[in-house]
Amino acid sequence: ICDQAAEIDQAVRWGFNWEMGPFAVWDTLGFRKVTERIRADGLPLPAWVDALYDSGAEDLYRTEDGLLQSPTAEPGVYATVPADPRVFDFEFLRNQEREVKRNPGASLLDLGDGILGLEFHSKMNAIGQDTLNMIMTGCTEAENNWQALVVTNPADNFSVGANLMMLLMEAMEGNWEDIDMIVRAFQAATGRLEHCAVPVVTAPAGLALGGGCEVTMGGNAVRGAGELYIGLVEFGAGVIPAGGGCLRLYQRNVAQLMDKRDQQPAFRKTFETIGMAKVATSAAEAQDLGFLRPGDSWSMNRDHLAADAKDLALALAAGNHVSPGHDDAIPVMGTAGIALAEAVLFNMKQGGYVSEHDVKIGMELGRILSGGVVPPGTTVTETDMLDLERESFMRLLGERKTLERMEHILKTGKPLRN
């Protein structure tokens, strides 16, 4: 028993996990069209529905003075749909002319209280050049005019990763200079988020895969949704993470070491997580895998995610946040790590667990996490590891079997083990 139609819709959405309640579905199908069909079938309708139809109404829901209203059981009487102040309606913000900048892939929005929002809105929120450009623009805009930046969006999925079709087409045409520029731009964008002069909070929900995971990890803090599916899944596409994913996951695992002189536990964990394309199925699991830091948090109510992320950004800004500097002393295993990766992959190949191409990808990953061919106990810089990521990515993208894997994923949505 409810006072208005909107409350029934809300109860059904929450209770059955529907995207829309029955009255919202009715409106989507066409209020007048469905009502006429029900009448033609000789089915009875409530008096308030008949009155609404006879008045010439085109929809059940209506907007008056910027407020959403839904009908009540009293014919012709509407009630304002109660608004939750902690739910951000991005379209409403746009209608209020609070969109600061926009391109086909992303937008900057004024979230209020001096917080700038960065929203992706490409297909499946795949990350292309438009998105990367807006990340760079957003960081500069935030530094100049805002207290902090929040990267979030109201879509079901935060981001499914880099635009695989674009990369595949460039590789098939042999445009290696263009690919190199794309990878450099991706690395620059995630690095810009991490080293921005104001706090950057990333707030993913749903799928945050590949490049979406790398963008998430680029933030100074993460406020994720409780239901979060995040991971570096590039291995299944025949390549390795090249937007700073290898670097940042390894850094986080090193940070958890009791003895920084023994990097093997951090190397193994990072190698396994990326090599097995592990995907966390919740924010808590994402913390265990290292995609979220020990101090990162999450929201159980998906609708409040953007507001919670904004609160966190305000808290960081009020706490005199200082952007982390570039890490120029990352401890690595060097040639000892490469030898370890080679031994592990040899055993897995002999056991029939991996293919020849898997071994090739795994060795590229091992070289990156080892810091390259350097003596054990060496330290390397962030730039060194990013260079290794980019070089390995380019080499693997030149492999026929990698292109076959990419094409198979685009056609079927499933990885190919060739």
Side-chain angles (χ1 to χ4, degrees), residues 78-261:
Y78 276 78
T80 301
V81 177
D84 185 340
R86 295 194 63 75
V87 175
F88 278 95
D89 184 336
F90 284 67
E91 287 307 313
F92 182 71
L93 293 178
R94 260 185 274 278
N95 293 336
Q96 286 193 316
E97 298 183 348
R98 288 168 64 180
E99 188 171 68
V100 180
K101 284 186 173 65
R102 180 186 181 88
N103 67 26
S107 293
L108 296 177
L109 295 158
D110 177 5
L111 300 183
D113 300 316
I115 304 300
L116 183 65
L118 171 57
E119 174 202 14
F120 303 159
H121 46 63
S122 57
K123 184 177 180 181
M124 293 292 284
N125 288 332
I127 299 170
Q129 194 60 52
D130 287 333
T131 312
L132 299 178
N133 289 343
M134 194 57 78
I135 289 174
M136 302 298 279
T137 302
C139 288
T140 301
E141 172 70 21
E143 288 173 338
N144 292 336
N145 303 303
W146 307 80
Q147 291 191 59
L149 176 67
V150 170
V151 185
T152 190
N153 58 67
D156 290 338
N157 298 311
F158 179 72
S159 174
V160 295
N163 188 331
L164 207 59
M165 175 62 78
M166 175 184 67
L167 288 169
L168 178 61
M169 295 303 293
E170 294 283 3
M172 291 179 73
E173 292 175 9
N175 297 331
W176 301 113
E177 288 185 5
D178 290 347
I179 294 170
D180 183 67
M181 287 176 59
I182 292 168
V183 178
R184 286 178 186 272
F186 209 126
Q187 291 181 341
T190 56
R192 188 77 173 90
L193 289 172
E194 183 175 29
H195 303 297
C196 187
V198 296
V200 175
V201 175
T202 51
L207 297 177
L209 304 176
C213 177
E214 290 175 308
V215 168
T216 298
M217 295 172 71
N220 303 135
V222 179
R223 179 72 182 202
E227 185 176 3
L228 177 62
Y229 305 92
I230 185 170
L232 296 169
V233 296
E234 287 86 349
F235 205 98
V239 289
I240 47 85
C246 298
L247 162 69
R248 291 188 176 88
L249 187 59
Y250 179 71
Q251 281 179 309
R252 293 181 183 191
N253 287 329
V254 167
Q256 300 304 306
L257 293 175
M258 297 294 289
D259 182 0
K260 298 293 190 295
R261 293 171 299 179

